[in-house]
Amino acid sequence: MKLLIIEDEQALRENITNYFNGDGNICESCSCLTDAINKLSNYNYDCVLLDIGLPDGDGFAVLDYLKAQMKNEAVIIISARNSLDDKLKGLNIGADDYLTKPFHLAELKARVVAVYRRKTFNSNNKLLFNEISINLLGRTVEVNKAPVNLTRKEYDMLLYFIANKGKVISKNAIAEHLWGDEMDMHDNFDFIYTHIKNLRKKLLDVNANDYLKSIYGIGYKFNAE
Ligand code: CA
């Protein structure tokens, strides 16, 4: 999963970032409204963790921005304010959930996973795509009941492809989704090819159909037919 945490409290921001990164996600962070809008205009995220009280304005502006740009990020408000008004306002203008500080990181993670599942896979813990079965909680994959041993990146990649099945996905979008800011360090997208090649081989080894098609000069497509 790729997350953005918008939070001006440094210790909390770092805690959350480390927690999610340590769990195999990509978690980027910023501490003010300006940087947040900047990031959101350049990148896509699965989930945004949004503090309301920011030094240069109100976090609600992020919700307005996402709505105006018709962006699809799930948003969980994390705020010290516990007024019903704030909560209703946030949920009314597009937040998916609201968590009052202080909270346990495990609680935050459970909310993130729930919101992501609800938004992307209609709340199912098990995602089925023909002969491929994915357990979203255990992060395990089976093809016709045979387990497939995927690395984290391969697993995230498979999930990303299935969530976007039938669409042509650019290499840039894949890199951005799976590597976040890190991808700026690469000169080109050749590194993606290796991961895709390995994922494809592992699926073919257990007799899955060959869904992954390379679209010359653009990227890849996970064939839905
Ligand atoms: Ca704050």
Side-chain angles (χ1 to χ4, degrees):
M1 232 181 298
K2 191 179 169 206
L3 302 118
L4 176 66
I5 159 92
I6 307 165
E7 167 65 72
D8 59 325
E9 212 177 298
Q10 191 188 353
L12 181 60
R13 187 177 65 242
E14 288 175 0
N15 267 344
I16 293 176
T17 307
N18 292 338
Y19 180 74
F20 279 100
N21 279 332
D23 212 18
N25 301 286
I26 296 278
C27 186
E28 296 173 5
S29 68
C30 54
S31 56
C32 68
L33 206 51
T34 313
D35 290 352
I37 300 292
N38 229 327
K39 283 228 171 231
L40 288 163
S41 68
N42 285 312
Y43 302 107
N44 295 310
Y45 298 88
D46 296 312
C47 189
V48 174
L49 308 174
L50 176 64
D51 181 26
I52 295 298
L54 295 167
D56 55 347
D58 206 310
F60 290 124
V62 168
L63 288 167
D64 291 333
Y65 175 81
L66 291 174
K67 203 171 187 179
Q69 300 296 315
M70 290 187 286
K71 283 176 68 81
N72 211 17
E73 276 80 357
V75 177
I76 298 178
I77 293 177
I78 47 172
S79 178
R81 306 183 192 178
N82 194 18
S83 82
L84 187 61
D85 276 357
D86 269 359
K87 199 166 187 164
L88 290 177
K89 183 174 176 194
L91 296 174
N92 271 336
I93 59 176
D96 296 274
D97 205 350
Y98 192 109
L99 197 56
T100 305
K101 295 178 199 170
F103 49 78
H104 288 288
L105 289 173
E107 164 76 8
L108 176 63
K109 187 185 160 196
R111 301 284 191 103
V112 167
V113 170
V115 159
Y116 179 64
R117 267 194 350 240
R118 192 159 75 222
K119 215 150 174 151
T120 314
F121 302 113
N122 300 321
S123 291
N124 293 322
N125 289 330
K126 207 162 214 185
L127 176 68
L128 289 173
F129 180 81
N130 297 344
E131 70 276 28
I132 303 173
S133 164
I134 302 179
N135 180 327
L136 296 169
L137 291 181
R139 293 175 64 90
T140 54
V141 177
E142 290 181 346
V143 171
N144 293 323
K145 303 250 159 28
V148 190
N149 234 330
L150 299 181
T151 64
R152 274 181 172 164
K153 288 291 183 212
E154 289 161 1
Y155 174 88
D156 287 338
M157 201 171 244
L158 177 62
L159 215 56
Y160 186 58
F161 276 124
I162 292 181
N164 292 285
K165 64 190 173 211
K167 294 183 204 157
V168 176
I169 310 173
S170 70
K171 289 179 195 170
N172 186 60
I174 296 168
E176 191 201 301
H177 186 84
L178 290 162
W179 282 271
D181 282 349
E182 274 175 62
M183 76 162 180
D184 295 338
M185 297 182 306
H186 297 272
D187 293 335
N188 57 51
F189 296 135
D190 288 350
F191 66 101
I192 295 175
Y193 173 73
T194 312
H195 290 271
I196 290 188
K197 192 180 74 181
N198 293 341
L199 170 63
R200 186 162 168 262
K201 181 176 186 308
K202 285 181 184 181
L203 291 173
L204 292 179
D205 281 350
V206 285
N207 299 316
N209 287 303
D210 192 5
Y211 295 109
L212 268 170
K213 300 283 177 259
S214 166
I215 309 291
Y216 185 75
I218 303 174
Y220 296 88
K221 181 174 163 184
F222 199 84
N223 268 343
E225 302 87 55

mmCIF file of all heavy atoms in Angstrom, residues 7-8 51 53, ligand 1:
data_model
loop_
_atom_site.group_PDB
_atom_site.id
_atom_site.type_symbol
_atom_site.label_atom_id
_atom_site.label_comp_id
_atom_site.label_asym_id
_atom_site.label_seq_id
_atom_site.Cartn_x
_atom_site.Cartn_y
_atom_site.Cartn_z
ATOM 1 N N GLU A 7 1.072 15.512 8.704
ATOM 2 C CA GLU A 7 1.037 15.697 10.167
ATOM 3 C C GLU A 7 2.197 16.599 10.575
ATOM 4 O O GLU A 7 3.337 16.352 10.195
ATOM 5 C CB GLU A 7 1.149 14.306 10.824
ATOM 6 C CG GLU A 7 1.440 14.299 12.308
ATOM 7 C CD GLU A 7 0.311 14.911 13.112
ATOM 8 O OE1 GLU A 7 -0.743 14.276 13.225
ATOM 9 O OE2 GLU A 7 0.514 16.030 13.622
ATOM 10 N N ASP A 8 1.920 17.653 11.326
ATOM 11 C CA ASP A 8 3.000 18.574 11.692
ATOM 12 C C ASP A 8 3.707 18.184 12.986
ATOM 13 O O ASP A 8 4.776 18.720 13.300
ATOM 14 C CB ASP A 8 2.481 20.021 11.792
ATOM 15 C CG ASP A 8 1.379 20.181 12.814
ATOM 16 O OD1 ASP A 8 0.567 19.249 12.964
ATOM 17 O OD2 ASP A 8 1.334 21.230 13.485
ATOM 18 N N ASP A 51 -4.000 15.111 9.289
ATOM 19 C CA ASP A 51 -4.190 15.908 10.491
ATOM 20 C C ASP A 51 -4.979 17.159 10.098
ATOM 21 O O ASP A 51 -4.790 17.695 9.002
ATOM 22 C CB ASP A 51 -2.804 16.286 11.051
ATOM 23 C CG ASP A 51 -2.903 17.105 12.321
ATOM 24 O OD1 ASP A 51 -3.911 16.979 13.038
ATOM 25 O OD2 ASP A 51 -1.954 17.874 12.589
ATOM 26 N N GLY A 53 -5.316 20.146 12.133
ATOM 27 C CA GLY A 53 -4.625 21.372 12.537
ATOM 28 C C GLY A 53 -3.215 21.426 11.984
ATOM 29 O O GLY A 53 -2.282 20.869 12.551
HETATM 30 CA CA CA B 1 -1.443 19.284 14.143
#
